[in-house]
Amino acid sequence: MQRIAQARIAADRDGTGEHVVTACQAACPTQAISFGDINDPGAEVTRRKASPLTYAALPEQGTHPRVTYEGRILNRNPAIPS
């Protein structure tokens, strides 16, 4: 929370749209976690949500989840080319 508040204060003071990186994003070496404004077409989170590998848990039950996941495709069969 302190990191986000500090970035917001700096952005208000400087008049810039500084990108805020949360602690869990900074700690994840694989960049598996992303946050952002899904209404911004240039945001990374918008690009990731548009991926055909993105899915949500139980959307058919009308849950409207905020969290989505990205599937990972692994080719474990050496007979099938990558």
Side-chain angles (χ1 to χ4, degrees):
M1 292 302 294
Q2 289 87 1
R3 182 188 303 232
I4 294 170
Q6 182 181 12
R8 283 186 183 151
I9 291 168
D12 288 343
R13 182 183 60 231
D14 301 336
T16 61
E18 184 178 335
H19 179 69
V20 178
V21 178
T22 62
C24 54
Q25 282 178 291
C28 184
T30 61
Q31 302 300 313
I33 301 170
S34 61
F35 298 100
D37 183 7
I38 59 172
N39 294 322
D40 179 10
E44 178 188 359
V45 71
T46 306
R47 180 186 56 79
R48 291 180 83 166
K49 285 184 77 74
S51 168
L53 300 176
T54 300
Y55 64 95
L58 303 173
E60 63 276 357
Q61 302 214 352
T63 57
H64 304 290
R66 291 183 181 194
V67 177
T68 56
Y69 306 93
E70 273 188 293
R72 186 170 166 190
I73 298 175
L74 298 175
N75 182 8
R76 301 224 186 252
N77 187 346
I80 301 174
S82 295

